[in-house]
Amino acid sequence: MDGYSPFVFNDNDEFIIIDQRFLPNIKKVKLENINDTCQAIKDMAIRGAPLIGIVAAFGYYLAIKSSINFDDLEHLSNL
């Protein structure tokens, strides 16, 4: 993470954001699941419509990747 990218998604499926509440300081936060991504959005750790959409999409990716079957994803409609 070079300090300028608001997020990094690396080859190890690690999703790391810069918590924008601490700018101009750089605080990196690893988002590991859909709940982490939802909390980051709710807490305004990330800001701006485009970035919120990107973080939400990666959250759904993490949820799909960790689910065993389609029924596991049913709880996503309640987030």
Side-chain angles (χ1 to χ4, degrees):
M1 186 173 260
D2 62 11
Y4 297 103
S5 300
F7 69 91
V8 170
F9 189 75
N10 64 25
D11 292 338
N12 298 327
D13 281 351
E14 292 179 324
F15 186 48
I16 302 167
I17 65 165
I18 292 177
D19 191 330
Q20 296 181 353
R21 296 172 293 182
F22 295 95
L23 291 175
N25 299 316
I26 303 296
K27 179 181 179 190
K28 300 173 189 175
V29 178
K30 182 177 176 184
L31 305 179
E32 298 181 359
N33 54 47
I34 187 78
N35 293 325
D36 291 347
T37 58
C38 288
Q39 198 63 48
I41 293 169
K42 288 178 185 177
D43 292 345
M44 295 188 69
I46 51 105
R47 298 178 189 161
L51 186 57
I52 290 171
I54 291 167
V55 169
F58 276 114
Y60 275 104
Y61 166 77
L62 294 171
I64 291 167
K65 186 184 90 164
S66 67
S67 66
I68 296 171
N69 57 41
F70 186 73
D71 294 331
D72 288 346
L73 299 174
E74 186 175 341
H75 77 281
L76 294 179
S77 62
N78 297 326
L79 295 177

